[in-house]
Amino acid sequence: MYKTHTCGELRAAHASQQVTLAGWVHRRRDHGGVIFLDLRDRYGIVQVTVNPNLSRETLEAVSNVRMEWVLQITGTVQKRPAGMENPKMETGEVEIIAGSIEVLNPAKTLPFMVSGENDLPDENTRLRYRYLDLRRDRMTRNLILRHKVVKFMRDFLDQEGFIEVETPILFKATPEGARDYLVPSRIYPGQFYALPQSPQQLKQLLMVAGLDRYFQIARCFRDEDLRGDRQPEFTQLDLEMSFVQRDDVLAMVEALYTALIPAVTPHKKLLASPWPKFSHHEVMEKYGTDKPDLRFGMELIDVSDIFAQSDFRVFQSAIEAGGVIKCIVAPGCADYSRKEVDALTESAKGLGAKGLATLAVTAEGLKGTAAKFVKPEEAEAVKSKVGAKEGDLILFAADERAIVNKVLGGLRLIFRDKLELADPDMMAFIWVVDFPMFAWNEEEQKWDAEHHPFTMPQLDDLSKFETNPGDIRSDAYDMVCNGYEMASGSIRIHRSDIQLKVFQLLGLSGEEIEQKFGHMLEAFEYGAPPHGGLAPGIDRLVMLLADEPNIREVIAFPKNQTGRDVMADAPSEVPQKQLKELHIKIA
Ligand code: ASP
């Protein structure tokens, strides 16, 4: 080994020991003859003192040393004189009095500093030199946290009798609602493997195989438009269990997360235990979204009944068209300026509203854009129904139910950020259950699976296949935290007759079903156990635990926001010869 100790481990107890360290020069300071070098490795930083009494060669070598050079240093640990300790450094009680110094490798001037959080370049520069970016303490900590999360999951599930099984990356299309990445076959001209959008089919086949409890830290590949915080490949804790019902799966995962969070991030709090469970319908009505942030209230309240006879044109026309009137109460925002309300109105319009009506509850009475259209008795009824106090601002949306929910759900999040209503250390896990099984695709005039086509419809609703597929609920569930969907899962179809019915409703022809999923239907004919599972995203969980704004910060080598690897420059062109081997011509 190049070293006897790590840079982070030395303490007063090591005083007078001779040690050899190896690492990077984090900082260098010259103090009239004495040179201080902070030496860094993954474990920490320690101060090395280079006194002028060393050999000429050593001093000469040190005089050239710059930031990020790689050194091996042998020296003696010395307790720092009283008053000279540095409480900001974990090794701040000691310094190393250098005896010999060897330069293992010099370094060019780095394109950016890795020693602080300030002066970071733009993200593409960080990604172009990701191996330098990862030297930063914060990034190293993120990777360590990620390791701990995954290790905890593995240990926990092992204890619970799960076995980890790897499934193929070169496979067949496994639909999760995205486009597939295809890999051309050299051996079979014109044929392609698909990269799995998830191991969904394979984990179900492992249940047919009798493995009972499976998990995998699985990479998933989805060729989606890159809006928002998405990566073309991402990691899931993929999990499946046999002979279980919905609540068995939820209890297992809830127990895992309830143990995991305090173990890896003791400062994070859980909202409630057991986790609250909401139906899809309930969260849509109360929070306007299927992934609500429960760290704060501000629920959507239906006031349609109060305004049934309203003189206000906007409210009247919404009711006449079969829509609803709902509102949220922004605490202490009654004094918002015209400009602030205009900005909110713009946001509401961006979310699909035609406008935004407001009532401000002030000491001088009601103000706001709806004030002069609302009858006194309506105002009183609203105030008492929503519990608005003096100083509050009530914001109304009146439209079709779906639009109203979306608008107020969106405004709710704007207020969360503006008023800092959500505790950043709170992890508000909830379950959302009873999703609709199918969603009508207006563009293509067909039904889509709301989760994926292997999800079990609720047996009570089976008769609606012929009459009203939109009303069929599924045995699907989502794990939601702080406004993010953290996992999706479901009890699966294990009977080929039901599976066939679902494929048919999704508009697949007999031939397509056979070609795409024949192997699944066939497997179900050979004794498939009832089974179910889910797949929590790992990137997003670590992002939340690390208080990072996006998942790229917790992935070692992510693609940038336009889907490129800017370090290796991928995707890139390939030699003609390779294309030819793959029977491919670029159009
Ligand atoms: N395969 C699903 C997904 O990736 C999760 C599951 O149903 O287990 O979303």
Side-chain angles (χ1 to χ4, degrees), residues 176 197-200 203 220 222 236 238-240 451-452 488-490 492 533-535:
E176 294 282 1
Q197 292 183 31
S198 83
Q200 184 61 38
K203 67 174 167 179
C220 303
R222 299 185 191 175
Q236 289 181 337
D238 195 45
L239 179 149
E240 198 76 6
H451 188 41
H452 53 56
S488 287
S490 58
R492 325 297 185 186
L534 88 177

Side-chain angles (χ1 to χ4, degrees), residues 79-196:
K79 223 167 139 343
R80 294 198 200 186
M84 302 291 280
E85 298 94 347
N86 183 351
K88 288 200 204 111
M89 281 170 91
E90 295 206 39
T91 60
E93 301 170 311
V94 297
E95 60 189 329
I96 313 299
I97 307 301
S100 68
I101 296 182
E102 189 171 339
V103 175
L104 298 177
N105 214 347
K108 292 205 290 194
T109 303
L110 266 51
F112 52 91
M113 299 269 285
V114 300
S115 57
E117 274 309 306
N118 304 324
D119 302 327
L120 278 184
D122 63 279
E123 191 179 32
N124 270 338
T125 307
R126 289 176 55 206
L127 292 175
R128 157 97 172 72
Y129 301 98
R130 188 59 153 184
Y131 46 88
L132 299 179
D133 192 38
L134 293 179
R135 280 186 194 170
R136 292 165 46 223
D137 180 47
R138 169 159 165 196
M139 297 306 281
T140 310
R141 272 191 279 126
N142 287 352
L143 292 186
I144 294 171
L145 176 62
R146 188 178 177 117
H147 160 78
K148 285 187 179 156
V149 165
V150 170
K151 164 115 173 49
F152 191 98
M153 289 173 167
R154 286 201 156 103
D155 292 345
F156 183 97
L157 293 170
D158 174 64
Q159 286 283 317
E160 294 290 339
F162 285 76
I163 60 168
E164 185 168 5
V165 181
E166 289 168 84
T167 54
I169 297 297
L170 295 178
F171 192 56
K172 195 171 170 121
T174 301
E176 294 282 1
R179 225 173 271 116
D180 289 315
Y181 281 103
L182 298 177
V183 180
S185 164
R186 178 180 57 81
I187 309 168
Y188 298 100
Q191 298 188 9
F192 297 81
Y193 299 101
L195 305 186

